[in-house]
Amino acid sequence: MAPASTSNAIQVDDLTVAYDFKPVLWDIDLVIPEGVLMAIVGPNGAGKSTLIKSILGIIKPIAGSVKVFGRPYSEQVSKVAYVPQKGSVDWDFPTTALDVVMMGTYGSLGWIRRPGQKEKKRSLEALEKVGMLAFKNRQISQLSGGQQQRIFLARALVQDALIYLMDEPFQGVDATTERAIINILKELRKSGKTLIVVHHDLQTVPEYFDWVTFLNVKSIASGPVKDIFNDDNLTKTYGINYKVAVNK
Amino acid sequence: MTSAQIEIQLIASLVAIACALPGTFLVLRKMAMISDAISHSILPGIVLGFFITQDLNSPLLIVLAALTGVVTVMLVEFIQRTKLVKEDTAIGLVFPALFSIGVIMIAKNANDVHLDIDAVLLGELAFAPFDRLVAGGTDLGPKSLWVIGSILLISVSLLLLFFKELKLSTFDKGLAATLGFSPVILHYGLKTVSSVTIVGAFDAVGAVLVVALIIAPAASAYLLTDDLRKMLILSCCFGVFAAISGYWMANLLDASIAGSMSTMLGLLFLLVYLFAPNRGVISVLVRQRRQQLEVALLVFLLHLQNHEEPEERHVKHLQEHINWQKVQSERVLNLATNNNLIKITNGVIDLTGKGRQFTAEALNYITINKETAIEDLKEQFFLFRG
């Protein structure tokens, strides 16, 4: 087991998750350095979402531990923002885009305290950043898939976290939205944030990300894209010959 | 109006508000049917409490019944978690079992208690003014008014304190958990408040009809607003309206008050379901028809743009080649002519300048299929509708 280090954003040791008897993640060791923009790639059922949820403590592992800046997640809640899959919520819920973004401020408010002008202002700024200010009073079911994804991103932005965990933020969005989102992610990384993104489109990995983790129940490889994003690792992860990566 | 009549309406209104508040969250959480389970399965708790205290308005009875309610929720979730049966089946297994225990307990002791099955199922609001709270010789009003009043006060205070948390955990359980607002605590908190409310309302409206008071106002309000606060307020208003109008309907027909209240709620929902401005059945049908016409117009304009030859642009051609009914063709032609998109000379249709411009934009929308283009086009259509 590697020694706990505070310069790593996230350190996962011997993490094993199983649903009933079926292993979903098996003995994962993973170190994510601070300040990277990392893709988690792997086939369907590889446990990508489960890994994110285990880091956040939403799923309880049967073995292993997760450290966020060297401490358990429960002590670091305010440093981590989570963008769940779009399909994880009911978009017919009676609320507006602005209100959903404001939910990102609830963590810093704690129990009982209500969001005020300051929280509203920050939420409006986040909406502007994702280009959704014009839709602030729109009921959320009246937004397109890409717009809903941007709302989720804005909600994570107002959390003003150090680490962002995102579950397929590019799912079902058009090319313009994808570009807008990746630009924001790159900007966040420039300001020193750590971003961990479940990603499906292998073609765009070298262009979007600087760090990558290959996952298929076990952790296949993790490191800088330029060193490890190659056909060898892709083949190991996906089990068939892949000719996607740019080999040097 | 006699004071008893006023008291009954007041109790009914408070019961309706107390039910509408947790009901709104249960409906949004898609857990409406759990209220049916709770309302039945608290019976053994009520009966047990009644045997101990001999008082239908005793706080002990409420505590015991609320506990049975929470046990119901836990049992349902326990059975469901084994994954051997689905949630609705689990609900259907748990509440009849508990309810029947209560029924047997009443039947076994029917001689010495004044608690009968009819009252359990339908409530007995008409008798509520007779059971009065008397302290030091002063009449403080009906006991059930105090019971439901206290429950409502607690429920409103909790709602005001934890509105933000309830909203968040209802909308996005995952985010609530990661922000440190335990969804489990909120879930059981809501279930406990629901159980206590149902116990308080039980006396007035009974096990079957309390479900109507919980679900119908929230379901109606849901179709009318996009704002959770407004949905809560509207639910309460609907509840009170049904309580008072139901009371007078019962008076007029000499029927059960609880039955009349539920009937009013049913009618109210039907009206909203049909006539709600955006989500009502009628407005959805109107919208679909209009959209069909708009799409038909696009098809027609693009056809004109694609074909220079006059025979393809003849009025008759619409019916023969595009395979439209006469009515449809006329509606499309009228829409296009009225908006100055086409002109017809000797039965041959030509696009006007405006028509050409609009068609180009529409083509752009179809090929690019981008959100912004759709928004623009929708605005264009909006313009024509005037």
Side-chain angles (χ1 to χ4, degrees), chain A residues 137-158:
Chain A
N137 293 323
R138 190 70 75 90
Q139 206 272 327
I140 51 173
S141 65
Q142 311 285 319
L143 300 169
S144 70
Q147 291 171 332
Q148 290 172 343
Q149 195 66 60
R150 290 189 204 202
I151 294 297
F152 262 8
L153 181 61
R155 189 177 73 173
L157 290 177
V158 296

Side-chain angles (χ1 to χ4, degrees), chain B residues 155-214:
Chain B
S155 155
V156 168
S157 318
L158 287 172
L159 177 66
L160 290 176
L161 283 174
F162 299 111
F163 178 73
K164 173 187 92 198
E165 289 78 4
L166 272 168
K167 181 170 73 177
L168 175 62
S169 71
T170 302
F171 175 62
D172 191 343
K173 219 161 52 171
L175 184 73
T178 62
L179 291 180
F181 303 108
S182 162
V184 179
I185 292 178
L186 289 159
H187 175 77
Y188 278 100
L190 178 63
K191 292 299 163 62
T192 310
V193 170
S194 308
S195 301
V196 172
T197 307
I198 290 168
V199 184
F202 199 88
D203 192 17
V205 291
V208 177
L209 298 181
V210 70
V211 181
L213 285 177
I214 288 181

Side-chain angles (χ1 to χ4, degrees), chain A residues 1-15 28-34 51 54-55 64-73 163 194 196:
Chain A
M1 199 188 280
S5 156
T6 44
S7 67
N8 291 325
I10 288 173
Q11 178 162 351
V12 176
D13 286 310
D14 309 322
L15 183 79
I28 305 283
D29 288 305
L30 181 63
V31 172
I32 305 170
E34 194 174 354
L51 176 60
S54 312
I55 292 173
S65 70
V66 174
K67 294 269 188 333
V68 177
F69 293 114
R71 308 175 72 104
Y73 171 74
I163 300 174
T194 309
I196 297 147

